[in-house]
Amino acid sequence: MSLAQKSEHQHGRISFANSNSNESNPPDYEAVDVLGPRGPQDGGKVLLIVDMCVADNRKDHYTDKYKNSSLIVRRNKEFTIIIKLNRAFSAEQDNVQLEFMIGNSPYVNKGTYITVSIGKEKRDGRWNGRVIGTQDTEVTVGITPDARCIIGRFRTFVAVVTDLGKQRTQRNPDTDLYVLFNPWDPADQVYMDKEEDIQEYVMNDVGNIYDGDFNNITSFSWNFGQFEEGVLDACLMIMDAGKVPLMYRGNATQVVRQASALLNSQDDKGVMVGNWSGDYSGGTAPTAWTGSPEILLKYVNKGYEPVRFAQCWVFAGVMNTFMRGLGIPTRAITTFRSAVDNTGNLKTDIVLDEDGKLDRSRTKDSVWNFHCWNEVYMKRPDLPDNFSGWQVIDCTPQETSDGLYRCGPTSVNAIKEGELSYPFDAKFVFAEINSDLIYYKADKYGKLKIISVNTVYVGKLILTKKKDSSEYEDITSNYKYPEGSLKERETMQMAVRRGVTSMDNLTLPEAGVDIELQADTIKIGDNFKLTLNIKNQTSQTCTISVVITGCAAFYTGITSTTFMFENQSEFYKNSLEYMPYLVEQSNLLFMVYGRVEESDTSLCTMKVVNLQPPELTMKMTGSPRVGKELMVSVEFLNPYNFTLKKVQLRIDGPGLTQTKLKQYSQILPGASVIYKVLLIPQSLGKKVLMACLDCPLLRQVTNQLEFEVVQDENINEQSVILGTR
């Protein structure tokens, strides 16, 4: 039984209750047993069976993957039910109505009370109905919800209208039905015309989220799990708890806008608490989660207490689940070098002190190594036609929009064209990927002067998962024209006309010298080499003084501790110099300041080194077959000379297992742990089993197994290890 279902069951057999109420606000009858009218044909108590034809309908509506016993259908697509009466149905004599109700106070004019009439008084309504056929005392009825109807869980009643009034069936949760968005139907707002797109962006229940840095892209698997038991109910209950008006729930634009607020707890006790402090006592570290079902079910099962804690990829992963579960095509997006702290003015300010060292106290803005949001696919009836399609939504709480912490939906096409006056939050998203990096330097009195501007650092790369692949797809060109092109300049001019502030009028003398900082890709704990390449583009000899600041940094670009301040062009660093200062996700940020003495011009650049975690090994024993046991072992060796404490190991995989959590109080230096999990695959097809080890001193060590589950016992499919982040 699903989360939202009540306990009373009538096993499909329901009896009539008498009603003379106003049809515009019908009563929600609970399970009572009342005699129906007596007439020449009725002969006593009217008993009937309503067969919702769950299995056949769900297969036709592409909802058979949901682990939910109720009927789940999609808008503007016919489903059938069979009504068994105590006598034969006559279309000329009988007046039968099917009623579908949602909410506490259903009304016809609000679309929350739907009546479909069959028989002698057939009337037009919001939903279409027809008699498909009759056999003995059974009548098969076809019902088509309209293409704009409210999505959610409807209560179903059958009523017979006689001269004595209306006799309605009792309330029976077994005949409830869920109505979802329909991306297969051209009349639906979320229609997609390619089947392979729907399979990826609606039906795929696992995916990759990309992180790391522009120069070192990494990824991890995420369990979206939109079909898992209780998840669909949880999504609907979250909208109920957030008091989303039912009248909004037929409009995909409104549903996603409301969801972008509901999934963070910043101002409305929403699903997840954002936390970037590094202190996750009293909750789960964002880096420890492996999927959405655990979070959504915890939220509704704990009385809508916000789940602690989340960061941008967790927000994006849960949003993907929420939207796909309701039938809205959705994908997770990663933008590398995102100016998240920006407030729409196209400026991200970096402040250096008198010596050229990064001034952490005066640098309030930051450029995130990466930031995750979502795109949803829909028609935007409120915008010009060319701004339909993919829309940005972001539930990571950053700034308020119409009084709540939320962002979007905003058209990707509008962002690319600089058309930022359309709803919602286009200026903010545009600034995240188009801001200029402004370097300031303080003099001995503390007065700031702009010394360098980098117009190409921010919004360097935008990725999503490629369809039917574990590789990424570069979608940067969906958001931006090539840097320096005529179209890019025209877009910026349009954005300025739409109200953003640009630095185009600022002119600084050219230094004539290029600098680039190079670093090896290394694992946490390794020594490394930094090389500063300096190229003189002029015909004159240049004398350059250079200083390099090295800081431990969060992925948000916020620096923690400065561990180096050097003035040479090549040097080696021992791990002992940075290891004591590492913060989560193990990023080192290097800031270079140079001054050309002959021209008194300045140059600046930044480099992020994303240190790689150690390996997490996964091995499979056996052949993955439906209904057969399968053993998977996960092994980790602590390669460090310090003890790892409060270690969590999660195993997760839709269609394979619910989230399993193993905790270790400590893992000593050089020690290994092995966790073995017994699985019984429940369905055929491609599966992904993911693992994540996490503790305060070592965050988000992940790996995954990808394999095909087969039916034939003679086929011995081998698992494919995708590799460690």
Side-chain angles (χ1 to χ4, degrees):
M1 188 188 305
S2 63
L3 280 170
Q5 286 178 327
K6 299 180 182 178
S7 61
E8 67 270 345
H9 281 263
Q10 304 294 322
H11 308 292
R13 187 181 300 277
I14 47 185
S15 60
F16 282 113
N18 206 355
S19 170
N20 290 299
S21 64
N22 187 333
E23 287 187 9
S24 67
N25 188 15
D28 183 2
Y29 283 101
E30 297 298 334
V32 293
D33 202 21
V34 180
L35 290 181
R38 293 181 180 272
Q41 293 178 316
D42 295 315
K45 186 177 181 181
V46 179
L47 290 175
L48 53 77
I49 295 173
V50 176
D51 181 358
M52 302 298 286
C53 304
V54 173
D56 290 341
N57 281 323
R58 286 178 53 156
K59 185 176 180 180
D60 290 343
H61 285 249
Y62 311 107
T63 59
D64 49 328
K65 287 188 175 182
Y66 287 89
K67 294 179 182 177
N68 184 312
S69 60
S70 296
L71 175 58
I72 305 173
V73 301
R74 298 191 185 273
R75 304 197 301 188
N76 206 40
K77 184 174 178 63
E78 186 178 73
F79 64 92
T80 58
I81 62 176
I82 299 173
I83 305 170
K84 186 172 182 179
L85 304 167
N86 66 344
R87 56 174 176 75
F89 172 78
S90 170
E92 291 75 25
Q93 298 180 16
D94 294 325
N95 186 7
V96 177
Q97 294 179 353
L98 290 92
E99 300 174 327
F100 303 94
M101 307 180 195
I102 190 169
N104 294 326
S105 301
Y107 283 91
V108 170
N109 60 359
K110 292 183 178 181
T112 54
Y113 171 37
I114 306 294
T115 300
V116 178
S117 300
I118 59 172
K120 66 178 183 179
E121 293 188 11
K122 190 177 187 314
R123 294 177 293 179
D124 293 332
R126 290 175 181 256
W127 296 13
N128 293 325
R130 67 187 181 104
V131 175
I132 295 175
T134 60
Q135 183 175 1
D136 298 329
T137 61
E138 294 183 354
V139 54
T140 301
V141 180
I143 306 293
T144 305
D146 78 273
R148 295 182 296 176
C149 83
I150 292 167
I151 58 101
R153 184 180 176 188
F154 286 80
R155 307 179 296 278
T156 303
F157 299 89
V158 180
V160 173
V161 181
T162 70
D163 294 340
L164 300 178
K166 179 184 289 189
Q167 292 78 45
R168 181 181 287 110
T169 56
Q170 296 173 309
R171 170 82 168 96
N172 180 6
D174 282 355
T175 61
D176 286 359
L177 71 102
Y178 297 76
V179 181
L180 305 181
F181 291 102
N182 189 357
W184 284 269
D185 190 270
D188 199 291
Q189 188 182 352
V190 302
Y191 170 67
M192 299 189 94
D193 61 357
K194 295 181 180 178
E195 178 64 25
E196 61 266 29
D197 288 349
I198 299 175
Q199 291 302 314
E200 180 65 51
Y201 304 127
V202 179
M203 302 300 289
N204 197 353
D205 57 1
V206 67
N208 291 348
I209 296 178
Y210 299 93
D211 62 352
D213 179 64
F214 164 69
N215 292 307
N216 183 25
I217 298 166
T218 53
S219 69
F220 55 92
S221 292
W222 189 266
N223 173 14
F224 300 130
Q226 66 267 34
F227 305 121
E228 297 301 297
E229 184 175 2
V231 170
L232 175 58
D233 282 317
C235 295
L236 297 176
M237 293 165 73
I238 287 166
M239 288 197 288
D240 290 341
K243 296 180 172 54
V244 177
L246 287 168
M247 62 183 293
Y248 285 179
R249 301 189 197 183
N251 183 332
T253 306
Q254 286 292 347
V255 168
V256 301
R257 180 150 176 80
Q258 297 290 324
S260 71
L262 293 174
L263 294 189
N264 70 71
S265 67
Q266 196 74 8
D267 43 27
D268 52 7
K269 290 197 68 177
V271 176
M272 294 171 286
V273 179
N275 184 347
W276 287 263
S277 70
D279 179 7
Y280 307 119
S281 54
T284 299
T287 45
W289 301 112
T290 52
S292 309
E294 182 182 4
I295 295 170
L296 290 167
L297 296 177
K298 183 175 183 179
Y299 178 70
V300 296
N301 289 330
K302 296 293 184 180
Y304 305 103
E305 184 66 27
V307 177
R308 302 169 182 266
F309 294 103
Q311 291 177 5
C312 68
W313 68 90
V314 183
F315 285 111
V318 175
M319 176 65 84
N320 239 43
T321 302
F322 195 96
M323 293 292 108
R324 288 186 184 184
L326 299 180
I328 299 176
T330 313
R331 58 188 187 182
I333 307 297
T334 300
T335 299
F336 290 93
R337 297 183 181 174
S338 177
V340 172
D341 291 344
N342 209 288
T343 54
N345 61 2
L346 297 186
K347 285 172 67 267
T348 299
D349 299 331
I350 307 295
V351 180
L352 308 180
D353 66 15
E354 182 184 2
D355 297 322
K357 182 180 179 181
L358 178 65
D359 191 331
R360 293 172 49 228
S361 65
R362 298 183 73 175
T363 299
K364 304 301 182 184
D365 291 348
S366 67
V367 178
W368 292 27
N369 295 356
F370 68 92
H371 177 53
C372 298
W373 61 58
N374 301 84
E375 288 178 1
V376 291
Y377 193 88
M378 64 179 64
K379 182 175 178 57
R380 288 291 299 271
D382 56 325
L383 303 183
D385 288 345
N386 57 318
F387 296 144
S388 291
W390 289 113
Q391 314 284 317
V392 172
I393 53 171
D394 191 349
C395 61
T396 300
Q398 299 164 74
E399 69 166 20
T400 59
S401 172
D402 295 334
L404 296 175
Y405 279 90
R406 57 184 168 187
C407 180
T410 188
S411 166
V412 173
N413 289 342
I415 295 298
K416 183 174 183 177
E417 300 299 333
E419 289 283 5
L420 308 182
S421 58
Y422 296 110
F424 299 89
D425 310 309
K427 293 178 183 178
F428 183 81
V429 177
F430 185 86
E432 287 184 284
I433 61 173
N434 287 290
S435 282
D436 293 336
L437 200 58
I438 313 296
Y439 292 94
Y440 296 80
K441 187 174 181 297
D443 61 19
K444 62 181 180 180
Y445 303 106
K447 184 178 179 181
L448 296 180
K449 175 185 177 183
I450 296 177
I451 58 171
S452 181
V453 176
N454 190 330
T455 61
V456 299
Y457 186 87
V458 170
K460 198 71 174 178
L461 182 67
I462 304 174
L463 302 179
T464 191
K465 178 184 174 296
K466 187 180 292 185
K467 288 181 291 187
D468 196 29
S469 170
S470 58
E471 302 298 319
Y472 62 73
E473 178 184 358
D474 182 351
I475 59 170
T476 311
S477 61
N478 291 1
Y479 285 82
K480 306 174 74 171
Y481 288 103
E483 294 283 357
S485 67
L486 175 61
K487 288 295 293 183
E488 189 259 350
R489 290 195 296 273
E490 290 174 350
T491 294
M492 191 60 65
Q493 291 167 1
M494 176 63 73
V496 170
R497 289 199 295 271
R498 295 294 182 257
V500 300
T501 303
S502 172
M503 299 295 293
D504 282 351
N505 295 327
L506 178 66
T507 56
L508 294 173
E510 292 286 340
V513 176
D514 293 335
I515 56 174
E516 181 187 17
L517 193 62
Q518 293 183 330
D520 301 328
T521 299
I522 61 171
K523 290 185 177 181
I524 299 170
D526 288 352
N527 301 331
F528 68 92
K529 181 179 75 171
L530 276 178
T531 302
L532 181 63
N533 295 325
I534 303 174
K535 186 174 182 180
N536 186 356
Q537 303 280 20
T538 74
S539 58
Q540 307 296 320
T541 299
C542 294
T543 307
I544 303 173
S545 58
V546 175
V547 292
I548 303 176
T549 308
C551 304
F554 295 90
Y555 87 98
T556 57
I558 300 297
T559 57
S560 175
T561 305
T562 300
F563 66 87
M564 65 165 281
F565 187 60
E566 303 279 356
N567 60 0
Q568 50 191 342
S569 61
E570 181 174 294
F571 46 87
Y572 294 85
K573 281 294 169 183
N574 189 289
S575 62
L576 296 177
E577 296 184 54
Y578 68 80
M579 284 294 288
Y581 308 109
L582 284 182
V583 292
E584 59 189 53
Q585 298 176 304
S586 305
N587 294 299
L588 302 178
L589 185 147
F590 297 95
M591 179 73 63
V592 182
Y593 166 72
R595 177 178 170 272
V596 181
E597 294 184 5
E598 286 79 4
S599 60
D600 193 26
T601 54
S602 300
L603 353 108
C604 297
T605 189
M606 285 195 300
K607 173 75 174 181
V608 174
V609 177
N610 180 238
L611 304 180
Q612 300 303 293
E615 293 183 357
L616 186 67
T617 304
M618 300 180 71
K619 296 180 181 178
M620 177 187 294
T621 303
S623 177
R625 299 193 297 266
V626 173
K628 300 295 183 180
E629 291 184 347
L630 186 68
M631 181 68 72
V632 173
S633 62
V634 182
E635 183 174 0
F636 175 77
L637 168 68
N638 179 3
Y640 305 116
N641 60 1
F642 52 87
T643 299
L644 301 176
K645 297 181 179 180
K646 298 181 180 179
V647 180
Q648 291 189 348
L649 176 61
R650 273 179 171 76
I651 309 294
D652 205 352
L656 295 170
T657 180
Q658 292 184 332
T659 307
K660 295 183 180 296
L661 174 62
K662 177 70 174 177
Q663 302 191 66
Y664 301 92
S665 59
Q666 62 179 20
I667 304 177
L668 297 174
S672 295
V673 293
I674 300 177
Y675 182 40
K676 294 186 177 181
V677 180
L678 187 65
L679 306 174
I680 303 178
Q682 300 299 311
S683 58
L684 296 170
K686 178 181 172 182
K687 304 295 178 186
V688 179
L689 184 72
M690 57 206 75
C692 178
L693 182 140
D694 192 88
C695 67
L697 291 179
L698 184 63
R699 294 296 187 192
Q700 208 170 20
V701 182
T702 67
N703 200 354
Q704 56 276 324
L705 285 174
E706 181 179 340
F707 52 90
E708 193 82 15
V709 176
V710 298
Q711 187 72 56
D712 186 353
E713 295 187 4
N714 296 320
I715 298 177
N716 185 12
E717 284 285 338
Q718 297 294 320
S719 63
V720 179
I721 297 181
L722 298 180
T724 305
R725 287 182 63 232

